[in-house]
Amino acid sequence: MFWNKKKKGLVQQESTKQTLALENQPLSIEELKKTLEKMDDAEIIEPEKNDFHKLTLIYIRTLIDLERLNESIIEPLKRSAQEQVLKKMTASKITEVTSIDEANKQLFSGAVLIYDPANNVWAAIPLKNPLGRSIETSETETILYGAKDSFSENIEDNISLIRHRLPIPRLKTEKFTVGSLSQSTAVIMYIEGLTNPEFIETAKKRIEEINFDLFFDSSQLAAFMEENDNSIFPQFQQTDRPDVCAYSLGLGKITILLDNTPFVLVAPITFFHLFQSPEDYINRWPVASFLRCLRYLSFFISITLIPFYVALTTHHYQMIPLQILFVLMESRTKLPFSPFWEALLMLIILEIIKEASLRMPTKSSQTLGVIGGIVIGQAAVEAGFASKVLIVMVGISTIASFLIPNYLMTKANSLIQFGFLILSSFFGIFGIAIGLILLFAHLNGLNSLKEPYFSPVAPFYGKDWNDLFIRGPLTKMKERPEHLHPVQKWRYSQRR
């Protein structure tokens, strides 16, 4: 064990020495040629005797915009004198480069390196190829009314979508690089003078402490920033909607964007934020309050309905009314399985159908879900593997789970249901009660950027209940959520 630790320390020391050596190594064409060996898409254009310029151009063909290369560099080279060429280039930004490490970073981030031998000057001009989808409708958080745009894989476009909704100079963006191999760009956005500085410092510190090689999705970044990565509950909200991010920033939260992914992290969040939909703030407040309460009720039904059926039929059949008991006895007369194994088998088959419908092409997935559920359910009843009552309850609990707006929460819901099912099979209704106590205790122990996950219930913030189980009138929501501790408490610009 000591040898392994010592070996790891030596490897880290060697890596640090190599990094320092690259930072201090003088920049030359020969060194760059060594770096670009066996790279077919690397271009090194050196001047010949009859060339119209005496500059050397180095770039990665697949990373830059070739049209902009011609407009911003090639054409100015043809029109300008040797000593004026760098001044007359039409590129928006020209950066001087002094080390081999800096040159590599610029080169592989989509820049063109230019070497002027007359003045012994290296410069980098960013011409990154803007790959990515156009702005489309969100497929994970669909709403009937409201904005229809969603984020794409281009981080610059994503920042623009948020800035269009919050055109204020106080909206700050701080850039970080994560992943030793992927060199992914992460950006923290917050409103200065409104967001609690502790949230900002905590997020920045955790990003700076990340030591990993690859980051291709914001959920991977969240895994390194969460305090309890073993929990099934997400401690960062993932969204691809710019209006959700803008509204969260206005409440005093922060957003974290990662390049090459359309999903943005929002923090700090609570358990109750996962049940809120953007449409809650578009509908009339009584309608929005009803729908929000319906989501909470659906979550409770989805995790307890099947376990409650198993508890009653296994341990507490005397609690079932006589007429319903006759129906249950008739449906279970010829079944070879106990209620627990019957329910477990149906739930596992249901999860298989749900996963298969997600992996299938869009046009086939709907057909698979409908036909698979009907055919397998009917066949299971006719073959005597499941009762009709259970099939009805499985359908109700499954539909109820779909009312949760957050997809990650829906997956957590399935695991909770299996846990409650096991407890109910051993302890009956007392097992469900034990499961609920353990669930609430776990939720109360979680944090999001050091903020309690079960706020504003525990700790209690009475004023925040105006936008908790119900969504109060917007005209009455004059203060920002107290549990976020915003620097700017009031939501209107002038006191009335």
Side-chain angles (χ1 to χ4, degrees), residues 104-307:
N104 286 333
K105 288 181 180 179
Q106 292 283 356
L107 197 61
F108 289 97
S109 62
V112 176
L113 294 180
I114 300 177
Y115 176 55
D116 182 4
N119 300 310
N120 194 25
V121 173
W122 284 87
I125 299 178
L127 296 177
K128 186 176 181 179
N129 191 4
L131 296 175
R133 295 179 291 120
S134 59
I135 297 174
E136 300 173 354
T137 304
S138 173
E139 295 183 0
T140 57
E141 298 176 72
T142 56
I143 61 174
L144 187 60
Y145 289 100
K148 301 300 181 183
D149 54 348
S150 64
F151 290 128
S152 66
E153 285 76 12
N154 191 320
I155 193 170
E156 299 293 335
D157 292 345
N158 296 343
I159 294 174
S160 298
L161 289 171
I162 297 176
R163 283 203 179 276
H164 284 170
R165 287 172 167 82
L166 298 172
I168 54 174
R170 291 192 297 154
L171 180 60
K172 305 299 181 181
T173 58
E174 297 192 32
K175 181 180 176 182
F176 300 86
T177 301
V178 293
S180 58
L181 293 180
S182 62
Q183 292 291 301
S184 304
T185 300
V187 173
I188 294 180
M189 297 188 72
Y190 60 91
I191 298 179
E192 191 176 41
L194 190 157
T195 307
N196 189 335
E198 292 184 6
F199 298 158
I200 303 169
E201 293 302 319
T202 301
K204 288 165 61 176
K205 182 180 178 182
R206 291 184 182 177
I207 290 178
E208 289 170 350
E209 291 176 348
I210 291 175
N211 185 13
F212 201 64
D213 57 350
L214 297 173
F215 286 94
F216 296 127
D217 189 77
S218 55
S219 60
Q220 299 168 348
L221 185 64
F224 285 85
M225 298 181 65
E226 292 175 344
E227 294 185 18
N228 190 343
D229 57 350
N230 295 320
S231 175
I232 61 175
F233 295 99
Q235 289 126 67
F236 286 78
Q237 182 182 359
Q238 275 189 290
T239 180
D240 64 346
R241 296 188 60 89
D243 54 343
V244 172
C245 290
Y247 187 80
S248 300
L249 287 167
L251 294 180
K253 301 180 185 180
I254 68 170
T255 61
I256 304 172
L257 298 85
L258 187 69
D259 204 5
N260 300 316
T261 176
F263 293 98
V264 173
L265 300 177
V266 177
I269 63 166
T270 67
F271 171 76
F272 307 100
H273 285 141
L274 302 175
F275 291 86
Q276 296 178 3
S277 169
E279 221 165 15
D280 289 351
Y281 301 95
I282 298 173
N283 288 321
R284 307 293 294 178
W285 77 266
V287 177
S289 300
F290 169 74
L291 294 176
R292 187 176 290 183
C293 291
L294 192 63
R295 294 188 202 113
Y296 289 116
L297 177 63
S298 298
F299 171 73
F300 182 77
I301 289 175
S302 63
I303 63 175
T304 59
L305 184 61
I306 305 300

Side-chain angles (χ1 to χ4, degrees), residues 3 9 23 33 94 136 165 239 248 250 257 265 329 342 382 392 487 492:
W3 183 83
E23 291 177 354
K33 285 182 177 179
I94 300 178
E136 300 173 354
R165 287 172 167 82
T239 180
S248 300
L257 298 85
L265 300 177
M329 290 177 61
E342 176 193 8
E382 292 181 358
V392 172
V487 177
Y492 45 80

Side-chain angles (χ1 to χ4, degrees), residues 7 102 108 118 138 151 186 301 323-324 339 346 348 381 394 398 423 455:
K7 186 176 180 180
E102 187 179 356
F108 289 97
S138 173
F151 290 128
I301 289 175
Q323 292 180 341
I324 299 177
M346 288 295 102
I348 290 176
V381 171
V394 168
T398 303
L423 288 173
S455 297

Side-chain angles (χ1 to χ4, degrees), residues 394-457:
V394 168
I396 293 173
S397 66
T398 303
I399 294 173
S401 68
F402 292 152
L403 266 69
I404 304 173
N406 190 281
Y407 175 75
L408 297 178
M409 189 64 194
T410 304
K411 289 301 177 184
N413 175 83
S414 300
L415 293 180
I416 297 171
Q417 187 181 40
F418 280 110
F420 278 26
L421 182 65
I422 295 172
L423 288 173
S424 65
S425 67
F426 284 102
F427 306 107
I429 293 179
F430 297 104
I432 299 176
I434 293 171
L436 289 172
I437 292 172
L438 293 175
L439 177 63
F440 289 135
H442 176 68
L443 290 172
N444 194 44
L446 294 177
N447 292 295
S448 176
L449 287 186
K450 297 184 178 179
E451 285 301 302
Y453 197 66
F454 218 48
S455 297
V457 174

